[in-house]
């Protein structure tokens, strides 16, 4: 009877764990917003106000979100768009176009992607654009036909914005900023970049059409806020199906945040880098240790995850290599000595590598 109960509890825990891993991995990997935006509240209010003026009042705007990697640029734009789409009548009227400088490597590819995301392919029909200029003129004509009262607002999100500045003549940026300065279709152009000198990369004609509105993110939160972020990133939402499991999981997370060893690990991460991606990597490694027989994260999991994060890749290569191979200079699986390798290698010389 007891074995049957333990089997049922393991099965139940297994279902809960699969859902926990799905929720937390989405949160860690896809920058799905959760909880408060510590240290960037003022920047977030500025951004959401900017997007509301475009979506509700038909005002065209342009801005750059500038900050180091992991400072929360993608997170605040995702949360701002999520909040914007919850406003009545906005979700059906506002169009979004997401571009990435790593994927859209030239203006021609970018224009095709814009045409696809704006669902203008049906308008194109069987028409074949022979040149980049024809494709651009078609897109601009489609955007310029409307006015602020009758057209759907379009929000352009340009990730890795500095890479678009390297496109030939910066034609795409010029035309997007040009539309945002005119009284045609309401357009908001939001660029995300790590480059502080981004304005120096823009041509004079492009710079003259940009609003010069910049939102800087610098990870200015304290360690106490860092601990709150740690708890919020691991806490399960109230709508999780198993209420009993949710309570136990959240209690475990609270105990983790108060554990001395866990605090020391987090303090080292905080001083090394306030990059939340490194925190997500630590939590992802700790999350991989839970099983149906041990369904909750314990301090030992975070200690092991911290060890993996701080492990030296060169030291790993030496550890994986046979000591005899290094001393004798022989290739694995063969009796031949490698030419030019001496056999008088000492343990001191290996440690100094």
């Amino acid at each position: 009877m007891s074995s049957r109960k333990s089997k049922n509890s393991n099965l139940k825990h297994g279902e809960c764990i699969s859902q926990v891993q799905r929720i937390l991995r989405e949160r860690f990997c896809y920058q799905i917003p959760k909880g408060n935006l510590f240290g960037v509240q003022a920047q977030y209010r500025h951004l959401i106000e900017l997007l509301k003026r475009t979506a509700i009042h038909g005002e065209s705007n342009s801005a750059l979100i500038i900050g180091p990697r992991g400072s929360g640029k993608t997170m605040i734009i995702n949360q701002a768009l999520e909040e914007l789409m919850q406003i009545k009548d906005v979700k059906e009227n506002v169009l979004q176009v997401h571009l990435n400088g790593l994927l859209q490597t030239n203006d021609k590819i970018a224009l095709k992607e814009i045409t696809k995301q704006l669902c203008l392919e049906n308008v194109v029909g069987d028409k074949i654009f022979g040149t980049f200029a024809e494709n651009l003129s078609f897109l601009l004509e489609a955007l310029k036909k409307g006015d602020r009262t009758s057209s759907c607002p379009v929000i352009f999100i340009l990730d890795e914005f500095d890479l678009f500045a390297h496109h030939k003549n910066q034609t795409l940026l010029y035309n997007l900023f040009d539309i945002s300065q005119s009284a045609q279709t309401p357009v908001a152009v939001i660029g995300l970049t790590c480059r502080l000198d981004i304005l120096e990369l823009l041509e004079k004609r492009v710079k003259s059409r940009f609003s010069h509105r910049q939102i800087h993110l610098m990870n200015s939160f304290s360690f106490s806020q860092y601990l709150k972020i740690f708890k919020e990133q691991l806490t399960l939402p109230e709508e999780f199906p198993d209420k009993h499991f949710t309570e136990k999981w959240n209690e475990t997370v609270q105990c983790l945040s108060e554990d001395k060893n866990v605090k020391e690990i987090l303090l080292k991460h905080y001083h090394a880098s306030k990059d939340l991606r490194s925190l997500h990597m630590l939590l992802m490694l700790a999350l991989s240790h839970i099983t149906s027989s041990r369904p909750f994260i314990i301090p030992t999991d975070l200690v092991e995850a911290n060890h993996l994060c701080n492990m030296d890749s060169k030291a790993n290569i030496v550890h994986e290599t046979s000591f005899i191979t290094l001393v004798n200079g022989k290739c694995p699986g063969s009796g031949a000595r490698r030419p030019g390798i001496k056999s008088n290698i000492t343990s001191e010389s290996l440690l100094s590598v």
Side-chain angles (χ1 to χ4, degrees):
M1 187 73 177
S2 60
S3 62
R4 186 181 298 174
K5 281 185 179 179
S6 62
K7 191 179 290 185
N8 291 336
S9 64
N10 284 344
L11 183 63
K12 187 178 180 181
H13 282 157
E15 294 174 356
C16 290
I17 287 168
S18 63
Q19 293 189 45
V20 167
Q21 289 181 335
R22 179 183 59 80
I23 292 170
L24 296 186
R25 282 173 180 167
E26 284 180 356
R27 193 180 293 170
F28 299 156
C29 298
Y30 300 112
Q31 298 292 316
I32 293 176
K34 168 69 175 73
N36 298 319
L37 296 170
F38 291 107
V40 293
Q41 292 91 340
Q43 293 91 328
Y44 178 76
R45 287 195 297 269
H46 187 181
L47 177 63
I48 191 64
E49 183 63 28
L50 200 70
L51 295 177
K52 283 180 179 178
R53 288 207 299 264
T54 300
I56 300 173
H57 304 295
E59 178 184 321
S60 293
N61 289 295
S62 58
L64 286 175
I65 302 175
I66 303 172
R69 297 197 182 278
S71 57
K73 299 186 295 296
T74 303
M75 185 172 62
I76 71 163
I77 191 66
N78 286 345
Q79 183 148 332
L81 290 173
E82 183 180 351
E83 181 180 335
L84 189 68
M85 294 305 157
Q86 291 175 356
I87 300 174
K88 188 178 180 181
D89 298 332
V90 168
K91 186 174 183 179
E92 294 145 355
N93 294 331
V94 174
L95 301 174
Q96 297 181 36
V97 177
H98 294 263
L99 302 176
N100 193 305
L102 295 171
L103 300 176
Q104 285 76 45
T105 52
N106 57 56
D107 286 348
K108 190 172 183 179
I109 298 173
L111 283 174
K112 287 183 178 179
E113 185 63 24
I114 293 172
T115 306
K116 180 181 177 181
Q117 292 190 33
L118 290 179
C119 301
L120 295 174
E121 293 168 313
N122 295 331
V123 179
V124 176
D126 297 330
K127 186 176 180 180
I128 299 174
F129 297 112
T131 63
F132 168 77
E134 292 177 0
N135 198 344
L136 177 62
S137 62
F138 165 76
L139 179 65
L140 294 179
E141 189 64 29
L143 290 175
K144 289 179 180 179
K145 275 184 179 178
D147 53 43
R148 292 186 178 182
T149 56
S150 62
S151 299
C152 289
V154 185
I155 298 175
F156 289 90
I157 310 297
L158 277 62
D159 207 351
E160 304 291 344
F161 181 85
D162 52 289
L163 297 181
F164 288 97
H166 294 296
H167 292 184
K168 185 179 178 181
N169 299 328
Q170 299 180 359
T171 310
L172 178 68
L173 295 181
Y174 171 78
N175 285 282
L176 287 179
F177 287 147
D178 187 53
I179 294 171
S180 68
Q181 291 288 328
S182 62
Q184 296 157 349
T185 301
V187 169
V189 183
I190 309 295
L192 283 66
T193 181
C194 302
R195 297 283 298 264
L196 291 173
D197 60 341
I198 182 61
L199 292 181
E200 297 177 12
L201 300 179
L202 299 179
E203 293 182 1
K204 189 175 181 180
R205 61 179 190 141
V206 178
K207 200 184 297 185
S208 66
R209 283 159 177 78
F210 175 53
S211 66
H212 290 262
R213 189 180 285 109
Q214 300 177 46
I215 301 172
H216 290 270
L217 305 181
M218 291 299 174
N219 279 347
S220 57
F221 44 78
S222 62
F223 180 66
S224 60
Q225 291 175 328
Y226 191 78
L227 273 177
K228 289 182 180 179
I229 294 171
F230 166 78
K231 287 192 291 185
E232 287 188 351
Q233 292 300 304
L234 283 178
T235 301
L236 290 179
E238 295 179 357
E239 58 270 16
F240 193 80
D242 193 328
K243 300 298 181 185
H244 179 67
F245 184 86
T246 305
E247 289 176 4
K248 285 197 75 175
W249 176 275
N250 293 340
E251 285 175 9
T252 305
V253 172
Q254 180 64 33
C255 293
L256 280 175
S257 65
E258 296 170 359
D259 186 82
K260 182 181 177 182
N261 293 329
V262 173
K263 279 187 175 181
E264 287 179 1
I265 292 170
L266 294 177
L267 188 61
K268 287 179 182 178
H269 272 262
Y270 174 78
H271 288 309
S273 171
K274 293 181 182 179
D275 184 351
L276 293 183
R277 290 182 183 177
S278 64
L279 176 63
H280 288 160
M281 176 59 70
L282 178 73
L283 299 181
M284 182 73 79
L285 292 171
L287 183 67
S288 64
H289 286 93
I290 63 174
T291 60
S292 57
S293 57
R294 190 166 62 82
F296 304 105
I297 297 176
I298 58 177
T300 310
D301 295 334
L302 284 164
V303 172
E304 292 179 11
N306 180 57
H307 178 67
L308 288 173
C309 287
N310 296 329
M311 197 173 285
D312 188 1
S313 58
K314 291 183 179 179
N316 287 341
I317 295 172
V318 175
H319 291 159
E320 293 296 327
T321 308
S322 170
F323 181 78
I324 298 173
T325 302
L326 288 171
V327 172
N328 294 332
K330 293 181 180 180
C331 299
S334 67
R337 185 186 297 276
R338 290 184 182 177
I341 298 181
K342 295 181 180 181
S343 60
N344 57 347
I345 301 178
T346 62
S347 58
E348 289 79 5
S349 62
L350 286 175
L351 291 173
S352 63
V353 175

